[in-house]
Every structure is written in C-alpha cells, then in structure tokens.
Amino acid sequence: MSKNAPDQEQIDHWIQVSQADIKQGWDDYSSGFYEKNGVPIQAHYHGLGLFHASLARAMFLNGDSLDMVRAEFAKATRATLKSFTIAYDESDPEYVGAPAALGRVTETIAIDGMRWALMAADFEMATEMARWWRNSPDG
C-alpha cells in the first residue's frame, strides 16, 4: 500500500458522510427547507453534485465496481446540470430565470460537471453539460 493511501476506516467514513449528506439534501428538499430559509434551490442541486462526486471517489478507493463508481459520477453531473437548467431552460419545471443564483452556474462548476461526466464515461452528458455554460449576464 502506498504511504499516502487512505486506510479503510477513512474510506468508510467518506462513504458514510457522503451518503448522509445526499440523504440530508433530499430531506431538506422534501421539507421545503430551501424555500423557508431563502436558500436558492440551485444550492440543493449543486450540493448534490459535490456529494455524489465525493461518494464516487470514496467508492473507487473502496474498490467498488467501476460501473457503480461511474453511476455516482453520472448522478453528480445530472445534479450539476439541473442547477444550470433551472437558470436557463424555460421548459424545466423548476426554472427560476432571472433571479437564478448565478454563483451556482459558474465556469468552474460547469467544468466539474463535465469532468464528472467524463469520469462516468458518458461523453454525451459531458457535451450536454458543456452546452449549458455561458458567461454570466452580470459579467
């Protein structure tokens, strides 16, 4: 084992924390937490993207199958993509338009989504993610 490799206890912790964060995010979504507290719904999807990507990395270190790891990276991309469609796609049921949280649709977040799609080996989703990023209207 590499000197810098995490031990199994650390990997297990990362998996448990990521799973708990995903569950909490959905619990908050279902309970109306975001609306009640004035938190943009995009924060939910952006957070889910980060949590699923963290879970995917921990699963990889755990030796889980690549199919399972890729499925988590795909979930990370889909959540990130949702943050963009909420801002820009009028056909999205959760579309918010102009008051969108532009801090949740930045270039670096788009790059994360594209990178996770590539780690999911889903080139179509990476392309779709790339198409949604645009310069912020406020510069």
Side-chain angles (χ1 to χ4, degrees), residues 26 66 77 88 95 101-102 107-108 127:
W26 282 114
L66 282 180
T77 302
Y88 301 127
Y95 174 72
L102 299 177
E107 183 176 10
T108 54
T127 301

Side-chain angles (χ1 to χ4, degrees), residues 9-41:
E9 184 178 348
Q10 183 64 59
I11 294 167
D12 292 344
H13 172 74
W14 289 331
I15 290 171
Q16 291 168 359
V17 167
S18 296
Q19 290 171 332
D21 287 342
I22 292 165
K23 181 184 180 315
Q24 184 64 56
W26 282 114
D27 288 349
D28 289 346
Y29 180 88
S30 298
S31 72
F33 168 86
Y34 298 98
E35 294 84 2
K36 291 175 194 169
N37 292 286
V39 177
I41 197 65

